[in-house]
Amino acid sequence: MASLACYIVLVVALASGFRGAEAARAFFVFGDSLVDNGNNNYLATTARADSPPYGIDTPNGRPTGRFSNGRNIPDFISEQLGAEPTLPYLSPELNGDNLLVGANFASAGIGILNDTGIQFINIIRIFRQLEYFDEYQQRVSALIGPEETQRLVNGALVLITLGGNDFVNNYYLVPFSARSRQYSLPDYVRYLISEYKKVLRSLYDRGARRVLVTGTGPLGCVPAELAMRSRNGECSQELQRAAALFNPQLVQILQQLNSEIGSNVFIGANTRQMNNDFISNPGAFGFVTSKVACCGQGPYNGLGLCTTASNLCPDRDVYAFWDPFHPSERANSFIVQQIMSGNTEYMYPMNLSTVLAIDAANN
């Protein structure tokens, strides 16, 4: 699964002319468990969130496949777009007019690299998510024609969240992992970044024109890492170092890509800093803790999966983390607030509200 969503927000846009001025632009989501809306429900994998108490704070109190007690980051962005939440691409309900809202291709457990998350076996790796995006465009083209499909895709917003699993579910998964024997940490980060740049360029080549990109969150501060690596509740310095190396280099490749393309296609969201804000000062956000997960077991409720046998907090709104790796619904809402209106400390080169205003003016 994944650590918190961090640096860099991917947004796709060139104003959407199809469906009229009032219609919300389409929204596409790629990535890992931080943004998976339920694709893994349809796969034979252990990386699933389709059992209680996941979804305990949804309107019907049932799990949806989101790694949250309720809404996740894509849900809050959809609300800002004035749109319905995107459906998982594998959902049988994703047909007809529902296709025009967009689609969520994300799959818990995946990373930038194909060997990340191999322990979860049957997950939708990023290259396959991109293939599904091609397939999606073919399906929509059969519905509304190729020209309108291109306009829909060019005018869409795209979110991509990758990177955390390449550390926690690959490089640091076990001592002396294959990747850690192959690469020093700085070299591994450079390799990840070079591979991520290929993924982002591939999105552009497939029609994405506004891409919100997030990388890793504060990897060493999630309850799972505190449980495994911390003696006194301090963050893991090694994992924090990984995030500190990765995120600035991710911003650099966004700058490079925008320069090569000649347009601000790629928008970076510093979700690592967004999460650090409530990790370092939880009380300022109304949280009682940013160390203990609401749902889990062991130290900091950071071990194992969130299940009906887990410890479960009575008030999810006062916990920054829902489970050992993932923010609570309320924490996700704070992250999206910064994505929408944060200054340059949080968003590069501009926040999402500015992006949407520019695109509306150019429509």
Side-chain angles (χ1 to χ4, degrees):
M1 283 153 276
S3 325
L4 298 170
C6 156
Y7 243 128
I8 312 183
V9 181
L10 196 104
V11 187
V12 183
L14 226 143
S16 173
F18 163 66
R19 287 181 295 162
E22 295 86 17
R25 71 201 297 174
F27 183 34
F28 301 109
V29 181
F30 300 85
D32 56 31
S33 60
L34 289 163
V35 293
D36 184 354
N37 276 18
N39 278 306
N40 282 20
N41 293 359
Y42 303 96
L43 302 173
T45 178
T46 55
R48 299 166 71 109
D50 57 347
S51 299
Y54 284 98
I56 190 171
D57 293 312
T58 59
N60 62 14
R62 295 176 183 170
T64 62
R66 292 162 173 81
F67 287 77
S68 172
N69 54 304
R71 290 165 289 181
N72 62 9
I73 288 170
D75 293 324
F76 284 109
I77 292 177
S78 290
E79 289 178 13
Q80 294 292 333
L81 296 176
E84 292 295 313
T86 53
L87 288 169
Y89 186 69
L90 298 185
S91 169
E93 296 177 24
L94 188 69
N95 51 51
D97 286 347
N98 285 339
L99 282 165
L100 308 183
V101 175
N104 186 311
F105 302 93
S107 177
I110 73 137
I112 298 165
L113 305 182
N114 287 337
D115 57 305
T116 291
I118 54 172
Q119 70 272 33
F120 301 124
I121 305 174
N122 189 20
I123 50 182
I124 313 170
R125 306 192 184 283
I126 190 60
F127 75 89
R128 184 63 174 137
Q129 292 184 28
L130 294 171
E131 289 175 350
Y132 277 147
F133 190 32
D134 293 337
E135 185 179 284
Y136 165 89
Q137 293 190 46
Q138 293 167 6
R139 293 172 64 190
V140 173
S141 185
L143 199 65
I144 60 175
E147 278 191 25
E148 291 295 347
T149 299
Q150 184 176 353
R151 290 175 67 187
L152 180 146
V153 171
N154 288 165
L157 176 67
V158 177
L159 169 68
I160 184 166
T161 294
L162 287 173
N165 282 326
D166 293 288
F167 295 103
V168 300
N169 281 314
N170 192 328
Y171 195 84
Y172 292 112
L173 179 63
V174 293
F176 310 109
S177 67
R179 286 298 189 183
S180 68
R181 294 195 306 272
Q182 183 182 13
Y183 292 105
S184 68
L185 180 61
D187 288 342
Y188 183 65
V189 170
R190 282 190 286 271
Y191 174 54
L192 286 180
I193 290 294
S194 67
E195 292 301 302
Y196 204 177
K197 186 176 181 181
K198 295 174 188 175
V199 170
L200 297 177
R201 182 71 202 203
S202 183
L203 269 174
Y204 177 81
D205 292 342
R206 286 170 159 85
R209 294 296 178 268
R210 283 289 190 199
V211 182
L212 179 63
V213 186
T214 75
T216 71
L219 300 175
C221 299
V222 301
E225 300 305 330
L226 297 185
M228 290 186 288
R229 301 172 186 270
S230 174
R231 292 183 180 179
N232 299 302
E234 74 281 3
C235 300
S236 164
Q237 290 306 303
E238 183 68 6
L239 280 158
Q240 289 296 85
R241 177 173 171 243
L245 288 170
F246 181 89
N247 292 318
Q249 292 183 48
L250 186 51
V251 173
Q252 288 175 7
I253 65 165
L254 298 189
Q255 293 171 329
Q256 291 169 13
L257 285 164
N258 286 343
S259 178
E260 291 167 11
I261 293 164
S263 176
N264 287 324
V265 169
F266 296 98
I267 311 297
N270 185 353
T271 46
R272 176 171 175 247
Q273 185 58 48
M274 297 170 192
N275 284 290
N276 275 339
D277 287 349
F278 49 73
I279 285 171
S280 61
N281 189 5
F285 297 85
F287 296 126
V288 298
T289 179
S290 60
K291 295 183 183 295
V292 181
C294 170
C295 183
Q297 47 268 329
Y300 308 99
N301 276 348
L303 298 178
L305 300 173
C306 174
T307 70
T308 52
S310 299
N311 301 316
L312 180 65
C313 68
D315 184 357
R316 274 72 64 184
D317 282 348
V318 296
Y319 282 71
F321 284 94
W322 157 246
D323 70 9
F325 285 104
H326 304 94
S328 64
E329 178 183 67
R330 189 156 171 266
N332 284 328
S333 75
F334 288 131
I335 291 168
V336 174
Q337 285 175 27
Q338 289 286 21
I339 287 172
M340 293 304 300
S341 58
N343 60 27
T344 52
E345 180 184 2
Y346 299 94
M347 298 296 297
Y348 164 84
M350 66 192 102
N351 61 41
L352 185 51
S353 293
T354 303
V355 170
L356 298 178
I358 290 171
D359 292 345
N362 292 333
N363 192 359

